[in-house]
Amino acid sequence: VHDDLKEMLDSNKDSLKLEAMKRIVAMMARGKNASDLFPAVVKNVACKNIEVKKLVYVYLVRYAEEQQDLALLSISTFQRGLKDPNQLIRASALRVLSSIRVTIIIPIMMLAIKDAASDMSPYVRKTAAHAIPKLYSLDPEQKEPLIEVIEKLLADKTTLVAGSVVMAFEGVCPERIDLIHKNYRKLCNLLIDVEEWGQVVIINMLTRYARTQFLNPNANEVLLEEGEEKEFYGSDEEEGKEEKVEKKKPYVMDPDHRLLLRNTKPLLQSRNAAVVMAVAQLYFHLAPKAEVGVTAKALVRLLRSHSEVQFVVLQNVATMSIKRKGMFETYLKSFYIRSTDPTQIKVLKLEVLTNLATETSISIILREFQTYIKSMDKDFVAATIQAIGRCATNIGEVRDTCLNGLVQLLSNRDELVVAESVVVIKKLLQMQPEQHSDIIKHMAKLIENIQVPMARASILWLIGEYCEHVPKIAPDVLRKMAKSFTSEEDIVKLQILNLAAKLYLTNSKQTKLLTQYVLNLAKYDQNYDIRDRARFIRQLIVPTDKGGALSKYAKKLFLALKPAPILESPFKDRDHFQLGSLSHLLNVKAGGYQELPDWPETAPDPSVRNVEVMDAVCCHGNCNSKRVGERSSGEERRTAKKTTEPRSESESEEEGKESSSESSESESESETESKEESEPDTEAKRNAKKKVGVSNGLELLKLFWHSRVLFVCILPCSAQTISPTFSSLKTYELLHRLTGEGLAVGYCFGRQPFVRDPHMVTVQIQFTNHMDTEARNLRVREPRLQSGMRIKEFPEIEVLPPGETVTTVMGIDFCDSTQAANFQLCTHTRKFCVSIQPPVGELMAPVFMLENEFKKEQGQLMGMNEIKETLVLGEACQSDYAIVQRVTAAANVGQVPCGSDQEYRFAGKTMTSNSLVLVTVITKRDRTAQLTVNCEKMVIGTMLVKDILHALSQ
Amino acid sequence: MIHSLFLVSTAGHIFLEKHWKSVISRSVCDYLFEAQGKASAPENVPPVIATPHHYLISVYRDRIFFVAVIQTEVPPLFVIEFLHRVAETFQDYFGECSEASIKDNVVIVYELLEEMLDNGFPLATEANILKEMIKPPTILRSVVNTITGSSNVGGTLPTGQLSNIPWRRTGVKYTNNEAYFDVVEEIDAILDKSGTVVFAEIQGVIDACVKLSGMPDLTLSFVNPRLLDDVSFHPCVRFKRWEAERVLSFIPPDGNFRLMSYHVNAQNLVAIPVYVKQNVSFFETGSSGRLDITVGPKQTMGKTIEDVVITVHMPKVVLNANLTTNQGTSTYDPVTKVLVWDIGKLNQQKVPNLKGSLSLQSGAPRPDENPTLNIDLRIQQLAISGLKVNRLNMFGEKYKPFKGVKYVTKAGNAGPQREQRSTFFCWNLFE
């Protein structure tokens, strides 16, 4: 066998070898066994021809497990490859080596993985991460050393490695949540740049992580629910409850929790359905109730994808729509069913429509259902009838209409439709049988025509249960059934027995003989269930001499009031599985499924996520400040800052020397950081852009806005605008809820550079709709501005659903004055005159400069341009931290690193005219301080002094 | 993650298998065949099947089941999305994704699968990277290869995976630098018999064919970006830029790719370009029925409607149809019970009409199902939503590219998307 192939493999010609390998691979693909060629193939592992080599690898990986001894011959080739200077060859050698499932080489693999984990090339490190689960599945004993490698790779800062190592983490040690702490913020920040498959894995893992580390943002909701339940069962413990509620501190979201939510949100726009689903499940499990809705639109988008995608998404939407009905209400029509949908999609859409039905939407949903009942797909029609039944139980108002509709269906020509209706009607009737004896009569007549066993059984049960409502018909039905007893299906037989027993108890005069006849038939039935039932019933209802202690209770046993069945969604409570998972879809725990933990009662120590390493990549020379910032490291610098806060002075001094651009950002508060982090790359670019515009001596080496690319630019020493250090985010009111007739609008100064115009102040506007109808077409109209002032309005907000909040951004050029910008805010029905008046501190942007530059500039702004004031520092304003914080809160200025510990310097630049604003605070021993403001715009200087004075003396 | 992959034809023939971990016997596919037996059509086979030891996650595309075998928990969408990506890659490489083309190129398929997954976890799924590693077959190359024995595998290893822009290969060179963008919109609507819109929406995509040298950085802006209600992007698009400025800024992949998909939310404002009048009725006696359908242009903004095809799924009892039309051709397939009326172009002067009689199975009860009408059509040079590209700017390279934008409106690409429901027997149920 295969001698020709062996010959070809042994030849000297690459083309023959290649041909042979191609034929072998084709055999493998067809599932034919090619293992007898192993010796001939393995010889070619070191072949020069790259395609031959690749195909040999493919073969080797497939058959090595069966030919362990021979496979060892190839190992030395790979070991050589691991040392190759070309990173791609190193990676490919490791990839194949780790795929060979031969236990004897485990130590070699382990070594190779360890080496590769500290390789210079991120691509090799990525391959190492991939190799970890391979080795683990081969030998679980290696877990501990492998965890060490994982820990090392988790600390890696490249996007290339992140997804793969988290994958390895999930495969090997998902319980070691402690390994994530230090890498949490980094992972959040890298996420958007990781390849799509890695994103899915990371998001799923972070969902679990967040569940162990943060507090439930919806705790109040849970409490409320609990409270309601308590009330229901009695109010004994009411007082205790209240105490508990009072003890509960107001909920504040951990900034890290917020970071995760914010950084995953843009991924809802991914083209990859798995990524979108991962974000949606993260929001469902982690976000405050009001924010979960943002994922709805993206999920609805996935419904236009392949039917398999729809299938999975609809399963998840079905679960979500039970818990968070509101989020999909506006998309109701997107769940309408098309005649071309596969059956399983139709059934799931029905499920969602049923879950979404409310008093307001039920009429259009029922009209839609009406169309579905006429479909040719009978399984789907049956599902629709069940859905109608569920709507009827959930929404009392439409119960009678539904019931009437279903009764009409009883005269349908299709037996399946009739049968399904009978089953559903039976369930509905149980809720209020008294009013519907005519329906029961109608159904009794149907028994002659309906052949579907389940339907027959349902009718019989109904007649038996409510025999008092149909006293004349019931015995007659029993008579007919006794006749056909032997030819009935088992479930029908059981119900005939039931009916007989019930009639015997209520109307023994007419039915005694019939019952005994039926019981006798059942006694000799083939099915033991039926024989048992007959024996049991006979003992119970027919009085015998021996007494039978139970027979006097027979009536109670058979005719007890039975609670109506609750028609529940099969998706109820399925959210205890992590959404989007295989386990959720199957509603069974799949192997390797990691439980989604419950929120902790109290949050674990958040400081575990602090990162101590200073990985400063900033440095500056005397006249050239060079900034090399990779996005992730930039982030880390900021987070690192957090840990050392409030810092001792010596430290800050040291840092000041080390890197001035850094200390300019120091002392910033966690809030600010998280704000900034959301858009670091945009800022970077904007800044860079400005630099291009502002100074000519600027050399832009390479600049990409896209964060994947690190950017390097060399800047001259002239003052550069830098990112703001403090976002006070004090919210001002633009439109009160009452004046706005339910529309509340607030604004704050975002302190981010406005994208489209560097002279504009960014104003964040937040709309909240308190009305119960949606507000439409929110937009700006007729700005009335002072001359020179300009306004860049926000894009029109088309719809704001009730209860929702939306934030948008507009830019205003205030012309360096505190004059208010007046304009009209319009909705589709109303318009409101509003105005935004900026505090003087918001008219500037922070500027980075060094102390000597500062002093030089200050020297040029003396006399009229300098305003000095002495003040007494406020009670709470003693520490360094407090002073910096107060000043930066009052004005959008950046701190200038200072040598002395009694001096604080801040620099900024007005938005429109780019005039410098220099602020100096010098503290004295007796709690007094001297405040100096230098600015060529005297009005601004004066006002700013006033504001800062106020801030510091409070 | 993904343990093994089987490709199965609709006839139940397993024509390719590949394993990334230990080998799993192909008998695992029996569970799929079992499910297929239960389902009325291949589309109705559930995408996820649990078996005692494995889970099968499959997608059905181009008459092939792509079946992934899974052993442990994994997000099902992850696998489904990947399988579709595999199918798209085959399509891209071989021009079509079919059993024949896969069998013909089995070695390339194997090489591709080897690169796409490592240990069951996706490794390289970007077409640009894959093409650098494994060259797609062309007739010329396959002739040359057989003579010289050279190979399809790239001699140099790909650099794309190492770069920060994994979707673009380096060193791209063209003599003619061109960038074309197709704005393709689809109307998806459900109408009731009277022509009232039950549900309507417009979905669009921008497909790009970019053949530009070097590392161009493109910016595409729209005249009316506010129209776009929901968007999803190729990973190359800078999302923040979109959020802030509503422009698409990106370094494009080389060749064909889908830049963005969008959704226009205009519920009732969607202009349905055609109207359809239909009358299908079945008589109680004589086992026959009558059919009469008329189509005409409605709101077309001066453009011609082309490729109009109307598909009607008839009830099972309709044995045959005897129909005449004044435009196009109509065929009725008595096996699948599908009536197809291929009309072609719609003229203002002539109103296409199809009418005739239907013969029903004798003795069978009058069908009470209502046939639904699906309408396919195409309008060139028009994006029905009114979306317009403003301009395309290029940074980063010095040459002047040739740019072009094309607009097309369709009614559905994957199966009929527009349907007209008839309610010809009234059912005053819930009113």
Side-chain angles (χ1 to χ4, degrees):
Chain A
V1 248
H2 303 321
D3 280 340
D4 51 335
L5 287 176
K6 278 181 198 160
E7 232 167 72
M8 286 161 87
L9 286 168
D10 286 340
S11 82
N12 296 327
K13 281 192 187 149
D14 278 356
S15 59
L16 281 177
K17 286 183 180 178
L18 185 62
E19 186 53 37
M21 280 317 296
K22 281 184 172 175
R23 278 160 63 180
I24 293 169
V25 167
M27 280 166 68
M28 286 162 59
R30 286 200 306 271
K32 298 254 162 61
N33 189 359
S35 60
D36 55 332
L37 288 162
F38 200 92
V41 174
V42 81
K43 270 186 269 181
N44 290 299
V45 73
C47 178
K48 289 274 181 302
N49 181 304
I50 192 155
E51 189 169 18
V52 173
K53 191 145 84 177
K54 274 201 166 175
L55 295 177
V56 171
Y57 287 180
V58 170
Y59 180 91
L60 197 62
V61 171
R62 165 72 178 78
Y63 287 109
E65 209 172 355
E66 298 169 23
Q67 308 264 347
Q68 306 228 351
D69 294 342
L70 285 168
L72 294 180
L73 296 175
S74 62
I75 302 301
S76 61
T77 320
F78 300 122
Q79 281 180 301
R80 227 176 299 132
L82 290 170
K83 301 271 178 291
D84 198 278
N86 183 334
Q87 51 176 340
L88 291 155
I89 293 178
R90 290 202 298 280
S92 114
L94 178 62
R95 206 180 138 196
V96 182
L97 180 72
S98 57
S99 299
I100 296 176
R101 299 181 57 81
V102 175
T103 38
I104 206 162
I105 62 162
I106 286 170
I108 300 176
M109 274 194 214
M110 192 69 225
L111 259 175
I113 292 174
K114 275 186 179 161
D115 278 355
S118 33
D119 199 286
M120 272 167 58
S121 151
Y123 184 63
V124 177
R125 298 202 297 272
K126 183 190 176 77
T127 317
H130 279 258
I132 293 169
K134 296 186 206 169
L135 178 52
Y136 179 67
S137 70
L138 194 59
D139 180 16
E141 297 278 295
Q142 301 295 323
K143 186 168 176 172
E144 285 313 312
L146 283 176
I147 291 180
E148 279 170 37
V149 182
I150 290 174
E151 193 171 1
K152 187 183 165 81
L153 286 172
L154 273 173
D156 208 292
K157 287 181 189 62
T158 54
T159 51
L160 211 53
V161 182
S164 304
V165 66
V166 172
M167 185 64 225
F169 171 85
E170 292 283 78
V172 177
C173 53
E175 71 285 353
R176 289 291 304 275
I177 215 89
D178 57 296
L179 297 179
I180 303 302
H181 291 323
K182 294 271 180 247
N183 301 299
Y184 174 82
R185 288 173 193 157
K186 182 192 69 193
L187 284 173
C188 287
N189 289 319
L190 286 183
L191 195 58
I192 195 152
D193 295 329
V194 174
E195 37 82 41
E196 29 193 2
W197 312 107
Q199 284 173 344
V200 177
V201 178
I202 296 178
I203 294 171
N204 279 323
M205 185 276 287
L206 289 178
T207 308
R208 252 179 30 245
Y209 177 86
R211 271 296 189 90
T212 62
Q213 299 299 318
F214 307 131
L215 291 178
N216 185 357
N218 301 315
N220 290 335
E221 183 196 4
V222 174
L223 221 62
L224 225 65
E225 275 167 22
E226 271 174 16
E228 273 164 22
E229 252 166 56
K230 276 270 163 62
E231 243 166 84
F232 183 78
Y233 288 116
S235 51
D236 323 342
E237 289 175 90
E238 204 93 306
E239 285 162 35
K241 188 89 214 163
E242 267 167 36
E243 259 171 51
K244 203 173 152 194
V245 177
E246 268 170 41
K247 257 189 239 164
K248 203 104 189 167
K249 273 188 277 175
Y251 172 77
V252 180
M253 187 183 277
D254 188 307
D256 285 328
H257 189 173
R258 177 50 67 198
L259 177 73
L260 178 61
L261 291 174
R262 195 177 40 234
N263 285 10
T264 47
K265 196 173 162 194
L267 296 177
L268 284 172
Q269 255 62 47
S270 170
R271 64 166 173 176
N272 187 319
V275 176
V276 176
M277 187 65 234
V279 179
Q281 67 83 26
L282 181 131
Y283 264 75
F284 181 78
H285 290 299
L286 300 181
K289 198 177 155 194
E291 289 173 43
V292 181
V294 301
T295 61
K297 196 185 264 183
L299 287 173
V300 170
R301 176 192 338 125
L302 298 185
L303 295 181
R304 296 173 208 125
S305 183
H306 302 286
S307 79
E308 296 88 4
V309 174
Q310 290 184 37
F311 176 75
V312 179
V313 171
L314 282 168
Q315 298 254 358
N316 289 287
V317 169
T319 305
M320 288 171 154
S321 60
I322 291 175
K323 193 122 182 234
R324 306 255 180 264
K325 194 181 255 192
M327 66 187 275
F328 293 105
E329 259 169 357
T330 41
Y331 302 100
L332 188 72
K333 288 189 171 175
S334 303
F335 299 102
Y336 279 9
I337 291 153
R338 282 138 223 279
S339 58
T340 43
D341 284 334
T343 309
Q344 70 260 32
I345 301 286
K346 286 180 181 159
V347 172
L348 283 168
K349 281 186 172 172
L350 264 184
E351 177 67 38
V352 174
L353 285 173
T354 313
N355 289 343
L356 292 181
T358 57
E359 277 89 353
T360 44
S361 57
I362 186 71
S363 59
I364 53 164
I365 291 182
L366 285 181
R367 195 164 311 136
E368 197 52 29
F369 283 178
Q370 214 171 315
T371 323
Y372 301 162
I373 287 172
K374 283 172 274 172
S375 160
M376 296 179 218
D377 183 341
K378 291 303 163 211
D379 292 337
F380 168 53
V381 173
T384 308
I385 294 170
Q386 285 175 11
I388 294 176
R390 268 199 24 228
C391 289
T393 43
N394 294 346
I395 301 164
E397 284 89 333
V398 292
R399 193 168 298 152
D400 285 344
T401 8
C402 288
L403 200 55
N404 286 333
L406 290 168
V407 169
Q408 288 193 33
L409 282 178
L410 292 177
S411 46
N412 195 289
R413 236 179 259 120
D414 195 295
E415 201 193 12
L416 266 166
V417 174
V418 179
E420 200 64 45
S421 311
V422 167
V423 175
V424 174
I425 290 173
K426 178 207 132 193
K427 289 177 183 165
L428 289 180
L429 283 184
Q430 261 184 283
M431 294 179 176
Q432 34 191 191
E434 311 76 31
Q435 304 158 22
H436 298 295
S437 55
D438 48 329
I439 296 178
I440 299 174
K441 273 179 210 150
H442 184 87
M443 291 178 65
K445 285 176 202 149
L446 278 173
I447 195 106
E448 295 181 32
N449 303 322
I450 291 190
Q451 295 308 322
V452 178
M454 191 59 209
R456 285 176 83 85
S458 295
I459 296 176
L460 290 173
W461 184 89
L462 263 179
I463 296 171
E465 187 66 24
Y466 305 113
C467 52
E468 279 153 358
H469 299 281
V470 282
K472 294 203 176 118
I473 297 170
D476 198 45
V477 172
L478 181 62
R479 183 182 59 81
K480 282 180 195 155
M481 296 317 293
K483 246 160 100 183
S484 62
F485 185 88
T486 45
S487 55
E488 296 289 349
E489 289 271 339
D490 290 348
I491 43 165
V492 183
K493 285 179 180 168
L494 288 174
Q495 289 309 326
I496 297 173
L497 287 171
N498 250 345
L499 173 66
K502 284 171 183 167
L503 282 176
Y504 186 95
L505 290 170
T506 52
N507 184 4
S508 63
K509 219 164 89 195
Q510 274 188 301
T511 56
K512 191 172 176 185
L513 287 170
L514 263 176
T515 307
Q516 278 178 348
Y517 174 69
V518 170
L519 287 174
N520 281 334
L521 282 177
K523 194 173 170 185
Y524 300 105
D525 200 89
Q526 285 188 322
N527 186 302
Y528 54 78
D529 260 351
I530 292 168
R531 295 199 299 272
D532 282 356
R533 182 74 65 91
R535 198 172 302 139
F536 159 76
I537 287 176
R538 188 189 296 273
Q539 289 302 319
L540 213 53
I541 60 172
V542 184
T544 52
D545 311 335
K546 284 175 202 159
L550 279 174
S551 58
K552 53 184 157 185
Y553 299 110
K555 211 163 181 170
K556 276 191 178 166
L557 283 172
F558 278 100
L559 293 168
L561 205 61
K562 296 167 186 76
I566 302 159
L567 302 180
E568 267 189 346
S569 163
F571 289 88
K572 190 166 184 280
D573 291 332
R574 237 198 241 188
D575 59 334
H576 66 90
F577 285 117
Q578 187 167 2
L579 263 70
S581 67
L582 184 62
S583 304
H584 169 267
L585 189 129
L586 298 167
N587 204 15
V588 180
K589 214 159 136 185
Y593 173 73
Q594 295 292 319
E595 291 279 356
L596 196 62
D598 262 337
W599 296 99
E601 282 290 315
T602 49
D605 182 13
S607 66
V608 289
R609 282 182 293 278
N610 292 346
V611 185
E612 304 290 343
V613 253
M614 294 302 265
D615 92 308
V617 274
C618 293
C619 54
H620 66 91
N622 272 341
C623 67
N624 270 344
S625 121
K626 185 179 180 186
R627 192 160 166 182
V628 185
E630 202 177 357
R631 190 180 142 143
S632 58
S633 53
E635 241 69 84
E636 239 159 60
R637 252 184 11 252
R638 268 176 227 142
T639 40
K641 207 60 38 71
K642 224 187 224 171
T643 66
T644 50
E645 208 175 279
R647 295 169 316 151
S648 67
E649 280 141 292
S650 63
E651 234 183 292
S652 79
E653 252 183 58
E654 206 177 275
E655 220 187 293
K657 280 175 209 155
E658 202 180 275
S659 119
S660 49
S661 74
E662 222 176 294
S663 38
S664 72
E665 289 176 355
S666 68
E667 316 290 7
S668 48
E669 229 184 36
S670 54
E671 249 183 38
T672 337
E673 284 152 15
S674 36
K675 260 271 115 49
E676 286 173 29
E677 272 158 17
S678 62
E679 285 197 296
D681 41 7
T682 359
E683 266 164 37
K685 191 192 177 185
R686 275 186 229 126
N687 294 340
K689 239 188 181 170
K690 269 181 219 158
K691 286 159 209 160
V692 183
V694 170
S695 61
N696 284 333
L698 204 129
E699 190 194 346
L700 217 57
L701 283 186
K702 206 174 187 185
L703 167 66
F704 284 115
W705 169 81
H706 205 275
S707 50
R708 272 169 229 272
V709 187
L710 88 177
F711 81 89
V712 181
C713 49
I714 298 177
L715 313 167
C717 65
S718 62
Q720 305 298 326
T721 321
I722 53 164
S723 28
T725 54
F726 184 86
S727 298
S728 57
L729 292 188
K730 186 176 166 197
T731 311
Y732 303 83
E733 187 172 85
L734 193 60
L735 186 62
H736 188 266
R737 188 147 78 99
L738 295 176
T739 16
E741 296 173 359
L743 183 73
V745 188
Y747 66 95
C748 59
F749 295 92
R751 292 197 169 184
Q752 318 244 333
F754 190 65
V755 193
R756 280 169 285 185
D757 192 327
H759 295 306
M760 287 195 174
V761 176
T762 306
V763 185
Q764 286 177 13
I765 304 204
Q766 190 179 43
F767 297 88
T768 309
N769 185 355
H770 295 285
M771 294 180 278
D772 17 352
T773 53
E774 56 191 18
R776 287 176 176 278
N777 308 91
L778 299 173
R779 64 199 183 275
V780 168
R781 273 254 300 275
E782 297 175 24
R784 279 179 291 112
L785 305 168
Q786 304 288 324
S787 67
M789 268 163 86
R790 290 172 309 134
I791 198 163
K792 189 89 200 171
E793 34 330 63
F794 53 87
E796 178 175 327
I797 299 169
E798 253 140 32
V799 181
L800 180 61
E804 297 274 23
T805 295
V806 71
T807 308
T808 184
V809 170
M810 64 191 285
I812 303 175
D813 183 355
F814 286 102
C815 271
D816 291 353
S817 84
T818 52
Q819 296 280 7
N822 301 308
F823 54 90
Q824 284 186 351
L825 197 64
C826 299
T827 68
H828 61 307
T829 50
R830 294 274 288 117
K831 47 189 176 186
F832 308 100
C833 291
V834 292
S835 65
I836 292 180
Q837 183 164 28
V840 66
E842 301 298 342
L843 295 175
M844 51 199 72
V847 150
F848 170 65
M849 53 172 65
L850 298 172
E851 195 175 6
N852 48 1
E853 287 169 53
F854 184 94
K855 285 185 174 150
K856 204 172 93 196
E857 297 286 356
Q858 199 175 23
Q860 286 168 8
L861 289 169
M862 301 301 278
M864 295 265 284
N865 293 331
E866 185 173 78
I867 303 156
K868 267 192 184 161
E869 215 52 273
T870 315
L871 69 143
V872 180
L873 287 172
E875 205 59 69
C877 219
Q878 302 296 322
S879 66
D880 289 4
Y881 169 66
I883 291 173
V884 175
Q885 200 248 343
R886 293 284 168 103
V887 175
T888 48
N892 192 10
V893 287
Q895 204 191 353
V896 173
C898 267
S900 155
D901 56 7
Q902 264 128 34
E903 290 177 21
Y904 304 89
R905 296 179 200 280
F906 305 88
K909 200 192 259 179
T910 61
M911 299 297 277
T912 310
S913 59
N914 281 334
S915 328
L916 275 177
V917 181
L918 307 173
V919 180
T920 317
V921 179
I922 299 170
T923 53
K924 310 236 166 79
R925 245 168 248 127
D926 50 357
R927 280 185 55 192
T928 57
Q930 190 177 49
L931 170 69
T932 315
V933 172
N934 303 73
C935 179
E936 74 179 284
K937 297 234 164 195
M938 279 150 50
V939 184
I940 288 197
T942 329
M943 291 174 82
L944 191 61
V945 165
K946 231 201 254 163
D947 282 2
I948 297 179
L949 212 63
H950 182 72
L952 286 177
S953 50
Q954 236 178 18
Chain B
M1 289 266 151
I2 298 170
H3 225 280
S4 301
L5 176 73
F6 294 97
L7 300 190
V8 185
S9 69
T10 337
H13 171 54
I14 302 171
F15 61 93
L16 189 118
E17 63 179 73
K18 169 111 180 82
H19 308 273
W20 283 270
K21 300 179 186 184
S22 299
V23 179
I24 290 174
S25 159
R26 53 167 61 196
S27 64
V28 76
C29 292
D30 291 349
Y31 293 97
L32 178 86
F33 300 142
E34 197 188 316
Q36 199 187 349
K38 279 186 206 153
S40 54
E43 291 84 7
N44 288 354
V45 173
V48 182
I49 300 171
T51 81
H53 300 288
H54 305 96
Y55 305 97
L56 304 181
I57 300 185
S58 62
V59 306
Y60 180 70
R61 253 183 94 140
D62 306 303
R63 306 180 56 75
I64 300 171
F65 285 103
F66 290 73
V67 188
V69 185
I70 310 294
Q71 270 194 324
T72 50
E73 171 66 48
V74 58
L77 268 187
F78 187 96
V79 181
I80 288 169
E81 186 77 32
F82 176 79
L83 292 176
H84 278 297
R85 209 61 76 79
V86 170
E88 275 151 27
T89 309
F90 290 169
Q91 171 90 39
D92 193 22
Y93 263 73
F94 315 130
E96 56 160 8
C97 177
S98 67
E99 184 177 346
S101 69
I102 290 173
K103 277 180 171 168
D104 287 347
N105 297 291
V106 70
V107 175
I108 297 186
V109 166
Y110 237 65
E111 284 167 344
L112 281 172
L113 290 174
E114 188 71 21
E115 292 303 332
M116 291 179 87
L117 280 184
D118 182 13
N119 196 34
F121 188 72
L123 191 64
T125 50
E126 282 296 333
N128 263 282
I129 297 186
L130 287 170
K131 282 192 179 155
E132 235 182 309
M133 290 189 279
I134 301 150
K135 291 185 194 122
T138 61
I139 295 169
L140 180 70
R141 189 175 301 124
S142 57
V143 171
V144 172
N145 286 355
T146 28
I147 297 165
T148 61
S150 65
S151 70
N152 283 324
V153 172
T156 49
L157 291 155
T159 47
Q161 272 183 323
L162 304 174
S163 92
N164 290 309
I165 311 161
W167 56 84
R168 188 175 177 87
R169 59 195 179 94
T170 46
V172 183
K173 258 200 189 117
Y174 290 101
T175 39
N176 296 321
N177 288 293
E178 307 165 313
Y180 296 106
F181 295 88
D182 292 0
V183 180
V184 183
E185 293 194 343
E186 285 171 12
I187 309 171
D188 182 0
I190 303 175
L191 310 182
D192 65 12
K193 198 192 178 187
S194 62
T196 316
V197 180
V198 176
F199 172 71
E201 61 178 9
I202 298 171
Q203 298 158 40
V205 293
I206 299 184
D207 282 333
C209 176
V210 177
K211 292 181 172 170
L212 298 175
S213 315
M215 271 288 167
D217 195 336
L218 303 179
T219 309
L220 184 77
S221 60
F222 298 100
V223 176
N224 40 7
R226 279 185 201 176
L227 276 177
L228 307 175
D229 171 49
D230 178 46
V231 286
S232 71
F233 299 121
H234 188 275
C236 69
V237 176
R238 291 153 183 153
F239 184 68
K240 299 245 164 85
R241 217 35 222 283
W242 168 259
E243 272 204 319
E245 302 168 59
R246 300 276 142 174
V247 297
L248 298 177
S249 160
F250 55 99
I251 294 173
D254 183 41
N256 296 310
F257 66 101
R258 176 153 295 176
L259 180 63
M260 81 183 283
S261 317
Y262 60 87
H263 174 239
V264 176
N265 199 357
Q267 283 293 350
N268 301 318
L269 300 174
V270 176
I272 309 291
V274 293
Y275 71 88
V276 179
K277 279 188 201 145
Q278 60 147 333
N279 190 3
V280 185
S281 48
F282 302 105
F283 306 122
E284 197 66 75
T285 51
S287 45
S288 66
R290 209 183 54 219
L291 176 142
D292 188 338
I293 306 173
T294 312
V295 188
K298 211 159 93 185
Q299 290 139 308
T300 59
M301 304 173 197
K303 303 283 196 287
T304 327
I305 302 173
E306 300 167 41
D307 299 346
V308 182
V309 178
I310 292 188
T311 319
V312 189
H313 291 259
M314 288 291 180
K316 284 201 185 67
V317 294
V318 178
L319 285 182
N320 219 330
N322 184 14
L323 303 168
T324 50
T325 174
N326 61 352
Q327 189 182 339
T329 52
S330 80
T331 48
Y332 180 68
D333 183 347
V335 181
T336 54
K337 310 288 178 196
V338 178
L339 169 69
V340 180
W341 180 24
D342 190 339
I343 302 170
K345 239 180 225 173
L346 281 190
N347 296 323
Q348 289 290 354
Q349 297 83 17
K350 195 165 75 176
V351 178
N353 172 269
L354 177 74
K355 62 179 164 192
S357 61
L358 306 169
S359 52
L360 310 186
Q361 204 175 324
S362 60
R366 192 185 72 169
D368 52 19
E369 299 128 347
N370 49 331
T372 53
L373 258 68
N374 297 295
I375 302 162
D376 279 347
L377 53 86
R378 196 179 172 86
I379 309 171
Q380 298 281 3
Q381 283 137 24
L382 173 74
I384 198 96
S385 69
L387 185 76
K388 268 213 144 61
V389 171
N390 186 15
R391 56 186 305 161
L392 177 77
N393 293 324
M394 188 180 74
F395 307 97
E397 295 291 334
K398 292 209 177 67
Y399 55 83
K400 245 192 137 58
F402 189 79
K403 305 177 268 197
V405 182
K406 193 168 83 187
Y407 300 91
V408 181
T409 296
K410 294 199 287 188
N413 60 344
Q417 294 277 319
R418 181 170 188 276
E419 58 184 54
Q420 184 154 18
R421 293 172 176 167
S422 61
T423 28
F424 54 78
F425 93 92
C426 246
W427 212 61
N428 281 328
L429 222 181
F430 300 106
E431 254 86 16

